[in-house]
Amino acid sequence: ADGWPQGELIHTLPGTLTNVTVIQCRGESVDRRGQKRQLPARVWRPVDPTGYNAWASGQPLILKGAVDNHRDLVMPQATYRADRDLTREGYLGDLLNQQKGLLSAMSAVDESVMARHFALLTFFDALPPPNVRRTQRPHDVLVARGVTGPMTDLTPLLHGRRLIVLGHLKSSPLPVPLTLDGETPPSEGWTFVRMIYDY
């Protein structure tokens, strides 16, 4: 409705998803000159009835049209300004701005840091470029992706019409079928979830 998704999504993962983020890829539009342009992806973090950003197993995530507190995933800005402000460069720019330097980011591995790094790696190729003219500290941070980066990058999926939902299970058994010698091995740990729904 009016370019916004409406409906319900339900997951049956073994636990409650937290740090839930919805990305709406909106497809193309035709501008005044008749040129096709990719519409910017919208991002928002839904909350449950208690106001908490979580999505319980078996409970619907309700999409009911326009979201007031959404942001564009990326808002390109001039990269040559020394006083460039990453917070004005969309959701990904704001996540980059929250990085306080490589050492502190690597040492403080709490839930919010894990969720932020997961989102940054998910759209690595869409990240705003660092401000190479910035001289004062803290310098703009580069996020290294290593050998797993290309496999985890969903940036090519921003073209087209689809929903991408990010979240994680802080502590859960392996949520996919796996047996070892006919038995399911015990497992526990972080599970990062990415759901992709084309429409």
Side-chain angles (χ1 to χ4, degrees):
D2 297 325
W4 289 92
Q6 289 186 335
E8 295 182 359
L9 299 175
I10 295 177
H11 76 82
T12 56
L13 294 166
T16 297
L17 283 175
T18 57
N19 290 289
V20 180
T21 305
V22 178
I23 299 98
Q24 180 196 13
C25 308
R26 301 162 57 202
E28 295 179 333
S29 179
V30 178
D31 65 15
R32 296 178 297 195
R33 299 176 181 162
Q35 301 291 321
K36 288 185 178 181
R37 303 281 184 195
Q38 180 70 32
L39 293 169
R42 297 172 173 150
V43 182
W44 66 94
R45 294 174 57 96
V47 295
D48 65 12
T50 66
Y52 184 58
N53 177 240
W55 182 15
S57 179
Q59 296 297 314
L61 174 64
I62 300 174
L63 305 172
K64 50 187 177 182
V67 178
D68 292 335
N69 61 343
H70 77 279
R71 299 196 60 188
D72 285 348
L73 184 69
V74 180
M75 296 176 62
Q77 301 286 338
T79 60
Y80 56 83
R81 294 178 51 187
D83 60 345
R84 178 175 161 220
D85 183 358
L86 282 168
T87 62
R88 293 198 293 260
E89 299 190 31
Y91 179 75
L92 293 179
D94 194 46
L95 291 183
L96 279 177
N97 188 64
Q98 294 173 33
Q99 300 288 92
K100 303 301 183 186
L102 286 175
L103 292 178
S104 62
M106 290 165 47
S107 61
V109 185
D110 63 17
E111 185 174 346
S112 64
V113 172
M114 295 279 286
R116 182 168 66 241
H117 289 180
F118 175 55
L120 291 172
L121 287 174
T122 295
F123 299 107
F124 187 86
D125 283 344
L127 292 178
N131 184 1
V132 296
R133 296 176 62 98
R134 182 170 179 170
T135 57
Q136 72 272 25
R137 293 182 180 277
H139 298 294
D140 281 358
V141 174
L142 290 174
V143 178
R145 58 178 175 169
V147 295
T148 62
M151 294 183 290
T152 62
D153 193 353
L154 297 186
T155 302
L157 295 183
L158 295 175
H159 297 278
R161 293 167 51 86
R162 61 183 50 89
L163 287 179
I164 301 173
V165 181
L166 307 180
H168 68 251
L169 301 170
K170 187 172 182 179
S171 179
S172 74
L174 190 66
V176 296
L178 174 70
T179 59
L180 183 62
D181 294 331
E183 296 184 5
T184 301
S187 61
E188 185 180 4
W190 291 82
T191 301
F192 292 96
V193 177
R194 305 190 300 181
M195 301 176 190
I196 303 167
Y197 178 76
D198 293 342
Y199 64 93

